[in-house]
Amino acid sequence: MSTPSASRVLQPVTIGDLQLKNRIVMAPLTRSRSNDDGVPPGFAADYYGQRADAGLIITEATNISAQARGYAMTPGIWSDAQVAAWRPIVEAVHRRGGLIFLQLWHTGRISHPDLHGGELPVAPSAIAAEGQAFTNDGLKDFVTPRALETAEIPGIVEDYRHAAQQAKAAGFDGVEVHAANNYLLEQFIRDSTNRRTDEYGGSIENRLRFPLDVVRAVVEVWGAKRVGIRISPATTEPGKTPLDSQVVQTFDTFVDALSEIGLLYIHDIEGVTQQTRDVPDGIDFQNLRKRFSGAYIANNQYTLDLAEETLANGDADLFSFGRPFLANPDLVDRLRTSAPLAEAPKQYWYGGGSVGYSDWPGMNGPISLK
Ligand SMILES: Cc1cc2nc3c(=O)[nH]c(=O)nc-3n(C[C@H](O)[C@H](O)[C@H](O)COP(=O)(O)O)c2cc1C
Protein backbone atom coordinates (compact mmCIF):
# COMPACT_ATOMS: atom_id res chain seq x y z
CA MET A 1 0.00 0.00 0.00
CA SER A 2 1.39 3.39 -1.00
CA THR A 3 1.54 6.23 1.51
CA PRO A 4 -1.57 8.42 1.42
CA SER A 5 0.24 11.47 0.01
CA ALA A 6 1.29 9.43 -3.05
CA SER A 7 -2.22 8.10 -3.52
CA ARG A 8 -3.33 7.90 -7.16
CA VAL A 9 -6.85 8.55 -5.90
CA LEU A 10 -5.72 12.07 -4.96
CA GLN A 11 -3.97 12.85 -8.25
CA PRO A 12 -5.65 14.85 -11.05
CA VAL A 13 -7.61 12.97 -13.69
CA THR A 14 -9.43 13.86 -16.91
CA ILE A 15 -12.98 12.57 -17.35
CA GLY A 16 -14.59 13.45 -20.67
CA ASP A 17 -13.51 17.06 -21.23
CA LEU A 18 -13.37 17.83 -17.50
CA GLN A 19 -10.11 18.07 -15.57
CA LEU A 20 -10.68 16.96 -12.01
CA LYS A 21 -8.23 17.85 -9.22
CA ASN A 22 -8.52 14.31 -7.87
CA ARG A 23 -10.74 11.24 -8.03
CA ILE A 24 -12.78 12.14 -4.95
CA VAL A 25 -16.37 13.18 -5.65
CA MET A 26 -18.60 14.83 -3.08
CA ALA A 27 -21.73 12.65 -3.15
CA PRO A 28 -25.14 14.31 -3.27
CA LEU A 29 -26.27 15.17 0.27
CA THR A 30 -29.73 16.51 1.03
CA ARG A 31 -29.42 19.05 3.85
CA SER A 32 -32.91 20.58 3.94
CA ARG A 33 -31.95 24.23 4.37
CA SER A 34 -34.05 25.73 1.56
CA ASN A 35 -37.16 27.84 2.06
CA ASP A 36 -40.76 26.90 1.18
CA ASP A 37 -40.20 28.17 -2.38
CA GLY A 38 -37.31 25.73 -2.85
CA VAL A 39 -34.74 28.55 -2.79
CA PRO A 40 -31.39 27.57 -1.25
CA PRO A 41 -29.95 29.94 1.39
CA GLY A 42 -27.05 32.36 0.86
CA PHE A 43 -24.85 30.38 3.24
CA ALA A 44 -25.08 27.36 0.91
CA ALA A 45 -22.43 29.20 -1.15
CA ASP A 46 -20.08 28.92 1.86
CA TYR A 47 -20.92 25.24 2.35
CA TYR A 48 -20.31 24.22 -1.26
CA GLY A 49 -17.40 26.64 -1.77
CA GLN A 50 -15.60 25.20 1.28
CA ARG A 51 -15.81 21.73 -0.31
CA ALA A 52 -14.41 22.77 -3.72
CA ASP A 53 -11.23 20.70 -3.26
CA ALA A 54 -13.25 17.66 -4.27
CA GLY A 55 -12.55 16.62 -7.86
CA LEU A 56 -16.27 17.04 -8.50
CA ILE A 57 -19.18 18.14 -6.32
CA ILE A 58 -22.64 16.74 -6.96
CA THR A 59 -25.27 18.89 -5.30
CA GLU A 60 -28.00 17.71 -3.01
CA ALA A 61 -31.00 16.30 -4.90
CA THR A 62 -32.88 19.22 -6.48
CA ASN A 63 -36.53 19.16 -7.52
CA ILE A 64 -37.18 19.59 -11.23
CA SER A 65 -40.73 20.89 -10.65
CA ALA A 66 -43.19 21.56 -7.84
CA GLN A 67 -44.71 18.14 -8.54
CA ALA A 68 -41.31 16.53 -7.93
CA ARG A 69 -41.13 17.50 -4.25
CA GLY A 70 -41.14 14.84 -1.56
CA TYR A 71 -39.29 16.44 1.34
CA ALA A 72 -39.82 19.77 3.05
CA MET A 73 -37.05 22.36 2.72
CA THR A 74 -35.37 20.82 -0.33
CA PRO A 75 -34.24 23.06 -3.19
CA GLY A 76 -35.63 23.32 -6.71
CA ILE A 77 -34.39 24.52 -10.10
CA TRP A 78 -37.64 25.18 -11.94
CA SER A 79 -38.12 28.87 -11.01
CA ASP A 80 -35.96 31.85 -11.88
CA ALA A 81 -35.65 32.74 -8.17
CA GLN A 82 -34.11 29.31 -7.61
CA VAL A 83 -31.68 29.80 -10.50
CA ALA A 84 -30.68 33.18 -9.09
CA ALA A 85 -29.95 31.57 -5.72
CA TRP A 86 -27.90 28.71 -7.22
CA ARG A 87 -25.70 31.08 -9.26
CA PRO A 88 -23.57 32.38 -6.34
CA ILE A 89 -23.25 28.82 -5.05
CA VAL A 90 -21.79 27.69 -8.37
CA GLU A 91 -19.56 30.77 -8.47
CA ALA A 92 -18.18 30.04 -4.99
CA VAL A 93 -17.12 26.57 -6.17
CA HIS A 94 -15.65 27.89 -9.41
CA ARG A 95 -13.72 30.62 -7.61
CA ARG A 96 -11.79 27.89 -5.78
CA GLY A 97 -11.23 25.92 -9.00
CA GLY A 98 -13.88 23.29 -8.36
CA LEU A 99 -16.48 21.63 -10.57
CA ILE A 100 -20.14 21.19 -9.64
CA PHE A 101 -23.00 19.15 -11.14
CA LEU A 102 -26.64 19.56 -10.14
CA GLN A 103 -28.57 16.40 -9.20
CA LEU A 104 -32.00 16.38 -10.91
CA TRP A 105 -34.75 14.85 -8.76
CA HIS A 106 -38.38 13.78 -8.87
CA THR A 107 -39.45 11.88 -5.76
CA GLY A 108 -42.61 10.24 -7.16
CA ARG A 109 -44.36 8.23 -4.43
CA ILE A 110 -41.78 9.12 -1.76
CA SER A 111 -43.79 12.22 -0.93
CA HIS A 112 -46.90 13.44 0.84
CA PRO A 113 -50.05 15.51 0.00
CA ASP A 114 -48.83 18.22 2.41
CA LEU A 115 -46.20 19.08 -0.20
CA HIS A 116 -48.80 19.28 -2.97
CA GLY A 117 -51.57 21.45 -1.53
CA GLY A 118 -53.47 18.34 -0.46
CA GLU A 119 -53.23 16.56 -3.83
CA LEU A 120 -51.79 13.06 -4.06
CA PRO A 121 -48.17 12.56 -5.12
CA VAL A 122 -47.73 10.83 -8.49
CA ALA A 123 -46.11 7.50 -9.34
CA PRO A 124 -46.11 4.86 -12.07
CA SER A 125 -48.71 2.85 -10.14
CA ALA A 126 -50.95 3.38 -7.12
CA ILE A 127 -48.74 1.47 -4.67
CA ALA A 128 -47.84 3.06 -1.33
CA ALA A 129 -44.31 3.13 0.05
CA GLU A 130 -43.80 1.95 3.61
CA GLY A 131 -42.62 4.50 6.13
CA GLN A 132 -42.92 8.24 6.51
CA ALA A 133 -42.41 11.42 4.54
CA PHE A 134 -40.55 14.48 5.86
CA THR A 135 -43.11 17.34 5.84
CA ASN A 136 -43.11 20.82 7.34
CA ASP A 137 -45.08 19.35 10.27
CA GLY A 138 -42.69 16.48 10.85
CA LEU A 139 -42.89 12.87 9.72
CA LYS A 140 -46.18 11.65 8.21
CA ASP A 141 -47.11 8.23 6.80
CA PHE A 142 -46.71 7.79 3.05
CA VAL A 143 -50.04 7.61 1.21
CA THR A 144 -51.08 5.63 -1.85
CA PRO A 145 -49.97 7.80 -4.78
CA ARG A 146 -51.95 8.53 -7.93
CA ALA A 147 -50.89 6.55 -11.01
CA LEU A 148 -49.81 8.91 -13.78
CA GLU A 149 -51.97 9.01 -16.92
CA THR A 150 -50.05 7.94 -20.01
CA ALA A 151 -50.54 11.39 -21.54
CA GLU A 152 -48.93 13.10 -18.52
CA ILE A 153 -45.57 11.36 -18.86
CA PRO A 154 -44.13 13.36 -21.81
CA GLY A 155 -44.85 16.50 -19.76
CA ILE A 156 -42.56 15.24 -16.99
CA VAL A 157 -39.84 14.60 -19.58
CA GLU A 158 -40.28 18.27 -20.53
CA ASP A 159 -39.96 19.25 -16.85
CA TYR A 160 -36.58 17.50 -16.80
CA ARG A 161 -35.55 19.30 -19.99
CA HIS A 162 -36.58 22.64 -18.48
CA ALA A 163 -34.70 21.87 -15.25
CA ALA A 164 -31.61 20.97 -17.30
CA GLN A 165 -31.84 24.32 -19.10
CA GLN A 166 -32.25 26.13 -15.79
CA ALA A 167 -29.16 24.36 -14.44
CA LYS A 168 -27.25 25.65 -17.44
CA ALA A 169 -28.51 29.17 -16.76
CA ALA A 170 -27.25 28.87 -13.17
CA GLY A 171 -23.74 28.09 -14.46
CA PHE A 172 -23.38 24.45 -13.41
CA ASP A 173 -20.74 22.30 -15.12
CA GLY A 174 -23.19 19.49 -15.79
CA VAL A 175 -26.06 17.53 -14.31
CA GLU A 176 -26.62 14.15 -12.69
CA VAL A 177 -29.92 12.42 -13.38
CA HIS A 178 -31.06 10.88 -10.09
CA ALA A 179 -32.30 7.44 -11.12
CA ALA A 180 -31.35 5.91 -7.76
CA ASN A 181 -32.84 5.42 -4.31
CA ASN A 182 -36.32 4.47 -5.47
CA TYR A 183 -37.50 7.88 -6.55
CA LEU A 184 -39.66 8.41 -9.64
CA LEU A 185 -37.25 7.12 -12.29
CA GLU A 186 -36.39 3.98 -10.36
CA GLN A 187 -40.09 3.50 -9.55
CA PHE A 188 -40.62 3.18 -13.30
CA ILE A 189 -37.63 0.85 -13.71
CA ARG A 190 -38.62 -1.71 -11.04
CA ASP A 191 -41.55 -4.03 -11.58
CA SER A 192 -42.22 -3.90 -7.83
CA THR A 193 -43.43 -0.30 -8.21
CA ASN A 194 -44.42 -0.28 -11.89
CA ARG A 195 -47.49 -2.36 -12.72
CA ARG A 196 -48.51 -0.31 -15.74
CA THR A 197 -50.08 -1.88 -18.79
CA ASP A 198 -49.29 0.95 -21.23
CA GLU A 199 -46.03 1.49 -23.13
CA TYR A 200 -44.32 2.56 -19.88
CA GLY A 201 -44.86 -0.75 -18.06
CA GLY A 202 -44.55 -4.50 -18.47
CA SER A 203 -41.45 -5.46 -20.45
CA ILE A 204 -37.99 -4.22 -19.47
CA GLU A 205 -37.94 -2.09 -22.61
CA ASN A 206 -41.23 -0.46 -21.59
CA ARG A 207 -40.16 0.15 -17.98
CA LEU A 208 -36.96 1.82 -19.19
CA ARG A 209 -38.78 4.01 -21.72
CA PHE A 210 -39.50 6.97 -19.41
CA PRO A 211 -36.06 7.05 -17.69
CA LEU A 212 -34.35 6.86 -21.09
CA ASP A 213 -36.61 9.57 -22.54
CA VAL A 214 -35.57 11.75 -19.58
CA VAL A 215 -31.88 11.04 -20.16
CA ARG A 216 -32.18 11.86 -23.87
CA ALA A 217 -34.00 15.14 -23.15
CA VAL A 218 -31.31 16.20 -20.66
CA VAL A 219 -28.56 15.18 -23.11
CA GLU A 220 -30.17 17.37 -25.77
CA VAL A 221 -29.62 20.32 -23.46
CA TRP A 222 -26.16 19.51 -22.15
CA GLY A 223 -24.49 17.05 -24.54
CA ALA A 224 -23.85 13.51 -23.30
CA LYS A 225 -20.41 14.33 -21.86
CA ARG A 226 -21.88 16.70 -19.28
CA VAL A 227 -24.53 14.28 -18.05
CA GLY A 228 -24.07 11.52 -15.50
CA ILE A 229 -26.61 9.21 -13.88
CA ARG A 230 -26.99 7.66 -10.45
CA ILE A 231 -28.33 4.13 -10.04
CA SER A 232 -28.90 1.83 -7.06
CA PRO A 233 -30.16 -1.59 -8.17
CA ALA A 234 -29.53 -3.15 -4.74
CA THR A 235 -31.04 -0.45 -2.49
CA THR A 236 -34.46 -0.98 -0.88
CA GLU A 237 -34.80 2.36 0.91
CA PRO A 238 -36.60 4.63 1.16
CA GLY A 239 -40.05 3.13 1.27
CA LYS A 240 -39.01 -0.51 1.74
CA THR A 241 -39.07 -0.75 -2.04
CA PRO A 242 -38.59 -4.35 -3.23
CA LEU A 243 -35.90 -5.01 -5.83
CA ASP A 244 -36.87 -5.58 -9.44
CA SER A 245 -37.70 -9.25 -10.02
CA GLN A 246 -35.27 -9.36 -13.00
CA VAL A 247 -32.78 -6.98 -11.48
CA VAL A 248 -29.73 -8.22 -13.40
CA GLN A 249 -31.36 -8.24 -16.82
CA THR A 250 -33.12 -4.91 -16.22
CA PHE A 251 -29.99 -3.05 -15.18
CA ASP A 252 -27.83 -4.71 -17.85
CA THR A 253 -30.29 -3.43 -20.44
CA PHE A 254 -30.43 0.02 -18.83
CA VAL A 255 -26.66 0.42 -18.63
CA ASP A 256 -26.23 -0.82 -22.22
CA ALA A 257 -28.63 1.92 -23.38
CA LEU A 258 -26.86 4.57 -21.26
CA SER A 259 -23.55 3.48 -22.73
CA GLU A 260 -24.95 3.81 -26.23
CA ILE A 261 -26.12 7.36 -25.45
CA GLY A 262 -22.54 8.06 -24.33
CA LEU A 263 -23.12 9.54 -20.86
CA LEU A 264 -20.12 10.90 -18.95
CA TYR A 265 -20.51 8.51 -16.01
CA ILE A 266 -22.63 6.06 -14.09
CA HIS A 267 -22.60 6.63 -10.34
CA ASP A 268 -23.38 3.36 -8.59
CA ILE A 269 -24.46 2.91 -5.01
CA GLU A 270 -22.79 -0.41 -4.30
CA GLY A 271 -25.06 -2.20 -1.83
CA VAL A 272 -27.68 -0.50 0.31
CA THR A 273 -27.06 3.24 0.81
CA GLN A 274 -25.32 3.94 4.11
CA GLN A 275 -26.09 0.42 5.38
CA THR A 276 -24.08 -2.32 3.74
CA ARG A 277 -21.83 -3.03 0.78
CA ASP A 278 -23.25 -6.56 0.58
CA VAL A 279 -25.37 -7.15 -2.50
CA PRO A 280 -27.93 -9.86 -3.20
CA ASP A 281 -26.81 -12.78 -5.37
CA GLY A 282 -26.51 -11.89 -9.01
CA ILE A 283 -26.03 -8.14 -8.80
CA ASP A 284 -22.55 -7.46 -10.10
CA PHE A 285 -21.36 -3.87 -10.19
CA GLN A 286 -18.20 -4.80 -12.06
CA ASN A 287 -20.34 -6.26 -14.81
CA LEU A 288 -22.24 -2.96 -15.03
CA ARG A 289 -18.97 -1.05 -15.12
CA LYS A 290 -17.63 -3.20 -17.95
CA ARG A 291 -20.79 -2.72 -20.02
CA PHE A 292 -20.51 1.08 -19.77
CA SER A 293 -18.33 3.14 -22.10
CA GLY A 294 -17.86 6.17 -19.81
CA ALA A 295 -16.49 6.64 -16.30
CA TYR A 296 -17.63 4.72 -13.23
CA ILE A 297 -18.14 6.48 -9.90
CA ALA A 298 -18.21 4.03 -7.01
CA ASN A 299 -20.10 4.90 -3.83
CA ASN A 300 -21.01 3.60 -0.43
CA GLN A 301 -18.82 3.44 2.64
CA TYR A 302 -15.57 4.15 0.79
CA THR A 303 -12.37 4.92 2.67
CA LEU A 304 -9.14 6.05 1.03
CA ASP A 305 -7.72 2.54 1.49
CA LEU A 306 -10.67 0.88 -0.20
CA ALA A 307 -10.59 3.46 -3.00
CA GLU A 308 -6.84 2.82 -3.50
CA GLU A 309 -7.36 -0.90 -3.69
CA THR A 310 -10.34 -0.56 -6.05
CA LEU A 311 -8.44 1.81 -8.34
CA ALA A 312 -5.38 -0.45 -8.37
CA ASN A 313 -7.63 -3.32 -9.46
CA GLY A 314 -9.04 -1.13 -12.24
CA ASP A 315 -12.54 -1.45 -10.79
CA ALA A 316 -13.60 2.25 -10.66
CA ASP A 317 -12.52 5.66 -11.93
CA LEU A 318 -13.89 7.99 -9.27
CA PHE A 319 -15.08 7.52 -5.69
CA SER A 320 -17.87 9.49 -4.11
CA PHE A 321 -17.84 10.18 -0.39
CA GLY A 322 -21.05 11.27 1.32
CA ARG A 323 -21.05 11.40 5.11
CA PRO A 324 -17.32 12.21 5.41
CA PHE A 325 -17.94 15.54 3.61
CA LEU A 326 -20.56 16.67 6.15
CA ALA A 327 -18.08 17.76 8.83
CA ASN A 328 -14.83 17.78 6.81
CA PRO A 329 -14.92 20.54 4.21
CA ASP A 330 -11.21 19.85 3.54
CA LEU A 331 -11.73 16.10 3.29
CA VAL A 332 -9.22 15.72 0.46
CA ASP A 333 -6.42 17.37 2.49
CA ARG A 334 -7.29 15.27 5.51
CA LEU A 335 -7.10 12.08 3.44
CA ARG A 336 -3.81 13.26 1.94
CA THR A 337 -2.28 13.75 5.38
CA SER A 338 -4.07 10.93 7.23
CA ALA A 339 -5.57 13.55 9.56
CA PRO A 340 -8.50 12.51 11.75
CA LEU A 341 -11.99 13.03 10.37
CA ALA A 342 -14.66 15.00 12.23
CA GLU A 343 -18.15 13.53 12.49
CA ALA A 344 -21.37 15.52 12.09
CA PRO A 345 -23.97 14.69 14.75
CA LYS A 346 -27.20 13.52 13.08
CA GLN A 347 -29.17 16.48 14.39
CA TYR A 348 -27.34 18.64 11.82
CA TRP A 349 -27.87 16.40 8.80
CA TYR A 350 -31.31 17.70 7.81
CA GLY A 351 -32.83 21.09 8.56
CA GLY A 352 -31.62 24.12 10.51
CA GLY A 353 -29.41 27.01 9.49
CA SER A 354 -25.70 27.47 9.04
CA VAL A 355 -24.84 25.73 12.33
CA GLY A 356 -23.57 22.21 11.72
CA TYR A 357 -23.63 22.97 8.00
CA SER A 358 -21.36 25.74 6.73
CA ASP A 359 -19.48 26.35 9.99
CA TRP A 360 -17.23 23.28 10.07
CA PRO A 361 -13.62 24.53 9.97
CA GLY A 362 -10.81 22.94 8.03
CA MET A 363 -8.12 21.19 10.06
CA ASN A 364 -6.01 24.37 9.89
CA GLY A 365 -8.86 26.78 10.62
CA PRO A 366 -11.57 28.43 8.54
CA ILE A 367 -11.35 27.89 4.77
CA SER A 368 -10.93 31.06 2.75
CA LEU A 369 -13.45 31.39 -0.07
CA LYS A 370 -11.55 34.12 -1.88
C1 LIG B 1 -27.52 13.40 4.98
C2 LIG B 1 -27.56 12.60 3.72
C3 LIG B 1 -28.25 13.09 2.62
C4 LIG B 1 -28.26 12.39 1.41
N1 LIG B 1 -28.88 12.94 0.31
C5 LIG B 1 -28.78 12.34 -0.90
C6 LIG B 1 -29.27 12.99 -2.07
O1 LIG B 1 -29.79 14.11 -2.03
N2 LIG B 1 -29.16 12.32 -3.25
C7 LIG B 1 -28.59 11.07 -3.34
O2 LIG B 1 -28.51 10.51 -4.44
N3 LIG B 1 -28.08 10.46 -2.24
C8 LIG B 1 -28.15 11.08 -1.04
N4 LIG B 1 -27.57 10.48 0.06
C9 LIG B 1 -26.78 9.25 -0.11
C10 LIG B 1 -25.29 9.60 -0.27
O3 LIG B 1 -25.07 10.30 -1.49
C11 LIG B 1 -24.41 8.34 -0.26
O4 LIG B 1 -24.87 7.46 -1.26
C12 LIG B 1 -24.41 7.63 1.08
O5 LIG B 1 -24.21 8.54 2.15
C13 LIG B 1 -23.34 6.54 1.13
O6 LIG B 1 -22.05 7.11 0.95
P1 LIG B 1 -21.06 7.33 2.22
O7 LIG B 1 -20.90 5.95 2.84
O8 LIG B 1 -19.79 7.86 1.64
O9 LIG B 1 -21.74 8.28 3.15
C14 LIG B 1 -27.59 11.14 1.30
C15 LIG B 1 -26.92 10.64 2.44
C16 LIG B 1 -26.89 11.35 3.61
C17 LIG B 1 -26.11 10.80 4.78
Side-chain angles (χ1 to χ4, degrees):
M1 174 74 53
S2 55
T3 58
S5 57
S7 169
R8 267 184 67 214
V9 171
L10 303 178
Q11 303 302 313
V13 62
T14 300
I15 302 288
D17 67 351
L18 295 172
Q19 325 238 293
L20 277 54
K21 296 186 212 178
N22 51 65
R23 295 174 186 265
I24 303 282
V25 175
M26 178 174 162
L29 293 166
T30 290
R31 305 301 305 277
S32 311
R33 260 88 175 169
S34 296
N35 70 16
D36 284 344
D37 295 324
V39 174
F43 53 80
D46 300 336
Y47 167 76
Y48 282 107
Q50 288 157 0
R51 286 155 180 77
D53 287 339
L56 173 66
I57 292 174
I58 301 161
T59 68
E60 64 208 272
T62 300
N63 300 300
I64 58 153
S65 63
Q67 183 199 61
R69 289 176 305 162
Y71 295 74
M73 295 178 274
T74 52
I77 190 71
W78 72 88
S79 78
D80 291 345
Q82 293 161 350
V83 170
W86 278 112
R87 213 170 270 135
I89 297 172
V90 172
E91 282 165 9
V93 173
H94 286 167
R95 214 173 301 127
R96 295 193 61 232
L99 292 166
I100 180 165
F101 275 33
L102 182 78
Q103 192 185 45
L104 298 173
W105 198 24
H106 190 311
T107 60
R109 71 179 194 149
I110 306 295
S111 185
H112 190 274
D114 279 12
L115 291 144
H116 303 286
E119 304 277 310
L120 290 176
V122 300
S125 300
I127 303 169
E130 284 182 48
Q132 295 184 310
F134 181 56
T135 76
N136 271 322
D137 301 320
L139 294 172
K140 292 194 180 178
D141 288 350
F142 290 126
V143 301
T144 302
R146 174 175 76 76
L148 284 159
E149 301 289 338
T150 305
E152 288 178 278
I153 294 174
I156 303 180
V157 175
E158 291 313 304
D159 289 342
Y160 273 95
R161 186 194 306 278
H162 177 246
Q165 288 161 340
Q166 296 278 91
K168 218 167 196 187
F172 283 99
D173 298 295
V175 289
E176 176 173 289
V177 174
H178 194 351
N181 296 349
N182 300 304
Y183 296 112
L184 186 68
L185 297 185
E186 194 159 30
Q187 290 160 30
F188 270 84
I189 294 171
R190 295 188 183 188
D191 56 9
S192 61
T193 40
N194 181 346
R195 304 275 167 74
R196 301 180 71 88
T197 53
D198 62 4
E199 66 261 38
Y200 296 103
S203 66
I204 291 175
E205 189 193 2
N206 280 359
R207 283 184 275 120
L208 295 177
R209 189 180 310 281
F210 170 59
L212 288 171
D213 283 352
V214 165
V215 168
R216 287 193 199 95
V218 171
V219 162
E220 278 169 24
V221 176
W222 276 94
K225 287 295 171 235
R226 293 300 181 106
V227 178
I229 191 162
R230 194 166 213 215
I231 58 173
S232 62
T235 287
T236 47
E237 289 301 329
K240 295 210 180 351
T241 309
L243 300 188
D244 185 63
S245 69
Q246 298 167 280
V247 60
V248 174
Q249 222 185 325
T250 300
F251 278 86
D252 281 0
T253 310
F254 192 36
V255 169
D256 287 351
L258 298 169
S259 185
E260 183 84 30
I261 294 169
L263 291 193
L264 180 66
Y265 66 75
I266 49 172
H267 184 181
D268 287 27
I269 299 170
E270 300 169 339
V272 180
T273 319
Q274 297 182 48
Q275 292 177 19
T276 174
R277 293 188 46 78
D278 293 343
V279 291
D281 277 352
I283 300 180
D284 177 356
F285 286 97
Q286 280 312 306
N287 165 50
L288 294 178
R289 165 166 160 71
K290 288 190 191 101
R291 302 181 90 94
F292 185 68
S293 52
Y296 179 92
I297 308 183
N299 173 253
N300 207 18
Q301 301 183 344
Y302 270 86
T303 59
L304 183 60
D305 280 350
L306 181 57
E308 276 292 324
E309 192 186 314
T310 307
L311 186 65
N313 292 336
D315 289 344
D317 301 295
L318 305 174
F319 303 90
S320 79
F321 285 62
R323 287 162 292 178
F325 266 109
L326 294 172
N328 300 283
D330 55 349
L331 179 65
V332 172
D333 279 346
R334 293 193 201 210
L335 294 177
R336 208 183 290 283
T337 56
S338 303
L341 299 186
E343 255 188 55
K346 273 200 170 168
Q347 72 194 86
Y348 298 127
W349 286 18
Y350 306 106
S354 58
V355 175
Y357 176 70
S358 52
D359 63 348
W360 292 98
M363 58 184 175
N364 299 317
I367 296 169
S368 167
L369 295 177
K370 296 285 169 265

